């Protein structure tokens, strides 16, 4: 968990499969088309800068991991609830082979 020697400090690391899993909060990582990713209506300049930087950093971290031979998966906060657990488990099983 949380290997600091890998870009982005992945939440889960499966070294034998060379796979990392990030568990991203929809707001902080700006999950596209997600109601949980709505930006605040006040102090917009601050939030736009901060959240845009997070998105760019995430893309760069995943790019670096893939370039180094790692498979990088992202699990979104909105996908982790009782209604979606079976769907999430099936997706992870498929992705992890």
């Amino acid at each position: 968990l949380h290997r600091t020697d890998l870009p982005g400090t992945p939440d889960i690391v499966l070294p034998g499969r060379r796979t990392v899993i990030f568990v991203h909060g929809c707001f902080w990582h700006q999950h596209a088309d997600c109601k949980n990713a709505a930006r605040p209506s006040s102090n917009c300049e601050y939030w736009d800068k901060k959240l845009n930087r997070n998105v760019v950093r995430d893309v760069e971290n995943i790019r670096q991991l893939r370039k180094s031979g790692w498979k990088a998966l992202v699990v979104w906060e909105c996908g982790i609830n009782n209604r979606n657990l079976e769907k999430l488990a099936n997706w992870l099983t498929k992705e992890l082979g």
Side-chain angles (χ1 to χ4, degrees):
L1 292 178
H2 304 288
R3 279 195 33 194
T4 58
D5 62 324
L6 293 173
T9 313
D11 297 296
I12 300 168
V13 179
L14 305 171
R17 296 177 183 259
R18 294 222 20 110
T19 300
V20 300
I21 301 172
F22 292 96
V23 181
H24 280 345
C26 297
F27 173 74
W28 293 107
H29 297 271
Q30 289 295 284
H31 188 195
D33 300 320
C34 178
K35 65 182 172 105
N36 298 328
R39 292 183 181 216
S41 58
S42 62
N43 204 6
C44 295
E45 186 176 334
Y46 168 81
W47 285 109
D48 285 345
K49 182 178 178 182
K50 179 165 186 55
L51 296 172
N52 289 342
R53 188 174 61 237
N54 288 352
V55 171
V56 169
R57 185 184 65 235
D58 291 342
V59 169
E60 179 60 22
N61 287 335
I62 289 172
R63 187 191 68 74
Q64 288 179 14
L65 285 161
R66 288 183 176 156
K67 187 176 178 182
S68 299
W70 288 86
K71 182 175 187 174
L73 304 175
V74 175
V75 174
W76 290 98
E77 167 190 19
C78 64
I80 304 172
N81 61 47
N82 288 337
R83 290 188 339 261
N84 294 332
L85 286 181
E86 185 175 343
K87 182 179 175 181
L88 174 61
N90 290 337
W91 177 76
L92 283 170
T93 300
K94 177 184 163 203
E95 290 295 322
L96 295 174

